[in-house]
Amino acid sequence: PYSGSAYPNVSLSCPLPGIPKPIFASVDGQEKYETKITTLENGLRVASQNKFGQFCTVGILVNSGSRHEAKYPSGVSHFLEKLAFSSTAQYGSKDEILLTLEKHGGICDCQTSRDTTMYAVSAEVKGLDTVVSLLSDVVLQPRLTDDEIEMTRMAVRFELEDLNMRPDPEPLLTEMIHAAAYRGNTVGLPRFTPVENVEKIDKAMLHKYLQSYYIPERMVLAGVGVDHEQLMHCASKYLLGVKPVWGAGTPDKVDCSLAQYTGGIIKCEKDMSDVSLGPTPIPELTHIMIGLESCSFLEEDFIPFAVLNMMMGGGGSFSAGGPGKGMFTRLYLNVLNRHHWMYNATSYHHSYEDTGLLCIHASADPRQVREMVEILTREFIQMAATAGEMELERAKTQLKSMLMMNLESRPIIFEDVGRQVLATGKRKLPQELCDLINRVTAADIKRVTTKMLRSKPAVAALGDLSELPTYEHIQAALSSKDGRLPRIYRLFR
């Protein structure tokens, strides 16, 4: 029997004589995965992020949204969002577009926020040329036929009705708090078309708006899972020297006004008793949102505010608990766990390129509104106290893990690359953001909160508001030491 005598006492940790040197797989440097950014001659920026896989997400982001509609009837960008991927110069109908994308296993979508409009396609990498050509057509050559505009009017009307009927009033409250915080300007302008404007918006007006805002300098072509050279090749082919369908007339001046935070209150008395009928109806609730001015996402304080928002956390009183679900956040520990009658308490942070808003949304039975408002004002005041080491570390870890887990998904990487490049011309990588989060201290939280508490509150209230304290009282509570509302003595309770 063979006893290994051919190599007597060879140590297994040395290479065997006469055998070729093994080649091991190694991790390449990160340079392959950095975001590459190039600006075309016409000012359009092209940004790409390579990612392993046969599918890519490619899209055009435009610096255009409801905040730019001061000189137009509100709702123009809402209409454009609904009209996206309809007939264009090359494609006779939405169905033709969908069939073209289907050949490459593709899907398309358009989303508008207050400051950005995003046209995106996910498809096989092999179809990149077709995808960029289609995006160029959709963004720069839409037909906007009378039928399509009429259909959009119907869709918008339906959406407005739906918004008022939903059991979840969060979108409506977000709209209201923005209107209260930035009365009549920029991010305070309505994101959804007001009913009275549905008939006013027509092709001529859309063209006038597009002429001013859909210009190459205000656009980014972003791709994830594509090679930068290929994307550049397609961009030069389909996005350079293209005459848009609205012609080259003299555009209106672009609205560059900075957001003016005003603070204030917007109330909507509404009978909520029939919001959700059924075998287990949600009881009638009154919803309150209180917000204060934070900062823009371009400022250094943006990261401490994001940590603070995580530390406040919150959610519904019926959400399933479990590890990592945020059951140790302040709005759970101090609010939902102590006051069983509160249905919801959630913290939100909205941030834009020139301002930001940190708000808490809470809902309870209409008879407890006064108490609920006081609980919120006391939580706001408490933010300025020194944060515990444990809760701060937990919030930072949670923020980092949320960031990293979200950035596993291709469409989210696409949106991150696109938005960052559109706003700043470069992209901070997740690792840099994690380093910044690690550096946040309790002193930072205290500093940003103290600054925030100097601003006037923005308040949105929805439902039965008979017990709602006055705006002046809410303001007084937020300027007091302990956040309590001024006492009112009533003879007849």
Side-chain angles (χ1 to χ4, degrees), residues 367-385:
R367 288 164 301 196
Q368 320 228 224
V369 170
R370 194 186 154 79
E371 206 178 334
M372 166 165 75
V373 168
E374 186 168 74
I375 288 167
L376 293 192
T377 52
R378 291 174 66 177
E379 278 306 312
F380 269 112
I381 295 292
Q382 276 292 259
M383 290 180 195

Side-chain angles (χ1 to χ4, degrees), residues 64-69 72-86 94 109-119 144 148-149 151-164 166 171-172 175 189-199 201-202 205-206 209-210 214:
S64 146
S66 55
R67 71 169 294 165
H68 301 108
E69 294 172 355
Y72 298 84
S74 286
V76 171
S77 45
H78 189 200
F79 262 65
L80 289 170
E81 172 186 32
K82 296 265 169 283
L83 283 160
F85 294 101
S86 299
K94 186 163 201 152
D109 181 33
C110 175
Q111 285 178 5
T112 297
S113 64
R114 290 173 191 280
D115 53 7
T116 311
T117 300
M118 188 161 70
Y119 298 81
L144 308 177
E148 286 168 349
I149 290 178
M151 285 294 289
T152 301
R153 289 192 179 124
M154 277 169 53
V156 165
R157 278 198 201 95
F158 174 78
E159 192 174 353
L160 294 177
E161 276 173 40
D162 180 57
L163 199 65
N164 286 312
R166 278 192 204 162
L172 200 57
E175 189 72 352
L189 297 172
R191 184 170 120 48
F192 301 102
T193 315
V195 177
E196 63 275 13
N197 288 356
V198 174
E199 287 302 326
I201 296 174
D202 58 14
M205 182 172 295
L206 292 171
Y209 178 87
L210 288 164
Y214 278 44

Side-chain angles (χ1 to χ4, degrees), residues 443-485:
D444 290 327
I445 302 284
K446 195 169 184 160
R447 177 176 50 86
V448 299
T449 307
T450 311
K451 188 178 91 180
M452 172 177 78
L453 284 165
R454 293 195 199 113
S455 64
K456 277 175 63 171
V459 183
L462 179 66
D464 170 348
L465 308 178
S466 47
E467 292 290 311
L468 181 71
T470 62
Y471 178 74
E472 288 68 28
H473 278 183
I474 296 174
Q475 203 175 350
L478 285 166
S479 346
S480 69
K481 274 208 213 35
D482 55 3
R484 286 183 182 278
L485 286 164

Side-chain angles (χ1 to χ4, degrees), residues 124-162:
E124 271 190 309
V125 182
K126 293 203 284 281
L128 185 64
D129 193 272
T130 312
V131 166
V132 177
S133 151
L134 182 141
L135 280 165
S136 164
D137 220 40
V138 163
V139 176
L140 301 171
Q141 314 279 340
R143 289 191 195 173
L144 308 177
T145 63
D146 296 348
D147 289 354
E148 286 168 349
I149 290 178
E150 205 39 65
M151 285 294 289
T152 301
R153 289 192 179 124
M154 277 169 53
V156 165
R157 278 198 201 95
F158 174 78
E159 192 174 353
L160 294 177
E161 276 173 40
D162 180 57

Side-chain angles (χ1 to χ4, degrees), residues 49-68:
Q49 172 85 28
N50 216 336
K51 186 180 196 303
F52 179 74
Q54 14 181 345
F55 276 82
C56 62
T57 300
V58 180
I60 292 179
L61 289 92
V62 190
N63 187 358
S64 146
S66 55
R67 71 169 294 165
H68 301 108

Side-chain angles (χ1 to χ4, degrees), residues 226-293:
V226 295
D227 175 63
H228 192 69
E229 294 311 311
Q230 273 180 303
L231 190 61
M232 279 300 295
H233 175 69
C234 298
S236 326
K237 192 161 149 193
Y238 298 114
L239 290 161
L240 261 184
V242 182
K243 284 255 181 298
V245 66
W246 44 85
T250 44
D252 282 353
K253 269 189 57 175
V254 166
D255 182 4
C256 297
S257 40
L258 294 178
Q260 298 299 316
Y261 181 87
T262 57
I265 185 165
I266 287 196
K267 298 190 253 197
C268 177
E269 288 269 357
K270 191 166 151 196
D271 177 17
M272 307 279 273
S273 51
D274 56 354
V275 164
S276 63
L277 302 168
T280 51
I282 298 179
E284 183 187 348
L285 298 174
T286 293
H287 299 270
I288 302 288
M289 205 178 244
I290 298 178
L292 292 165
E293 185 177 21

